[in-house]
């Protein structure tokens, strides 16, 4: 039936758009990343050290930005997070602070996963509602 073919085509188009939009992930800007991570670092026990002179600024520019890195010192691991974007500072912490930071990151990931699941469930419910609204009202006949 001609109308049934049109219905299936429209339905597939809408489903495709929904699936593509569900798969789109916006990329985090460096500023957003810094604003998201730095409160976790502070809460975990990292200490913020502002950059106050040109020698420190030069050193900061050579460091990997916006990623937690580590170095061994006196038999212990020490961690740092260079931020030339938001605070123009360096966060430093010990092993305990790093472990707390990792726990915060896991909690954040769990919350984000729950939010994604809720969004997907809501999109599926909306799709189901659209399917019923677009149903042509004729019985579906199997060949």
């Amino acid at each position: 039936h001609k109308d049934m073919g049109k219905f299936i085509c429209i339905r597939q188009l809408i489903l495709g758009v929904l699936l593509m939009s569900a798969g789109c992930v916006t990329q985090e800007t460096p500023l957003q990343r810094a604003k998201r991570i730095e409160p976790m670092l502070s809460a975990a026990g990292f200490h913020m050290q502002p950059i106050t002179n040109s020698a420190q600024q030069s050193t900061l520019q050579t460091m990997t930005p916006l990623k937690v890195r580590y170095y061994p010192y006196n038999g212990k691991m020490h961690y740092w997070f260079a931020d030339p974007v938001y605070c123009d500072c360096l966060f430093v912490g010990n092993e305990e602070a790093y472990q707390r930071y990792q726990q915060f990151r896991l909690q954040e990931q769990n919350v984000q996963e729950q939010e994604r699941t809720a969004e997907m469930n809501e999109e599926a419910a909306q799709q189901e509602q659209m399917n019923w609204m677009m149903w042509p009202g004729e019985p579906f006949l199997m060949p």
Side-chain angles (χ1 to χ4, degrees):
H1 195 263
K2 186 177 179 183
D3 288 336
M4 183 59 110
K6 187 186 242 183
F7 166 73
I8 290 172
C9 184
I10 291 171
R11 183 177 174 204
Q12 288 175 337
L13 177 66
I14 291 171
L15 183 59
V17 169
L18 286 173
L19 289 174
M20 285 190 309
S21 66
C24 292
V25 177
T26 57
Q27 194 70 344
E28 187 176 48
T29 68
L31 181 61
Q32 290 168 330
R33 180 173 175 77
K35 287 182 173 184
R36 179 179 57 83
I37 292 176
E38 290 174 13
M40 286 190 288
L41 291 170
S42 292
F46 278 71
H47 300 284
M48 193 264 286
Q49 296 180 346
I51 301 303
T52 58
N53 61 50
S54 60
Q56 290 174 337
Q57 185 66 42
S58 294
T59 301
L60 182 69
Q61 295 303 319
T62 65
M63 301 173 95
T64 303
L66 306 177
K67 292 188 185 245
V68 176
R69 297 293 188 229
Y70 63 92
Y71 63 95
Y73 181 73
N74 286 339
K76 294 183 181 182
M77 295 304 288
H78 296 268
Y79 298 83
W80 55 268
F81 179 88
D83 179 3
V85 176
Y86 179 57
C87 70
D88 209 26
C89 64
L90 185 68
F91 284 82
V92 293
N94 59 18
E95 182 67 32
E96 293 79 21
Y98 178 73
Q99 293 303 322
R100 285 189 297 270
Y101 166 70
Q102 289 294 78
Q103 290 173 348
F104 292 151
R105 283 189 57 216
L106 284 174
Q107 290 171 356
E108 178 189 50
Q109 289 170 354
N110 288 337
V111 167
Q112 288 174 350
E113 185 61 34
Q114 290 171 357
E115 288 173 355
R116 278 192 296 271
T117 300
E119 287 172 6
M120 288 173 61
N121 288 340
E122 183 176 330
E123 288 172 3
Q126 288 174 352
Q127 177 62 37
E128 187 65 28
Q129 185 178 14
M130 287 181 82
N131 289 345
W132 282 109
M133 288 174 31
M134 293 177 61
W135 188 255
E138 298 176 13
F140 184 77
L141 302 175
M142 298 291 286

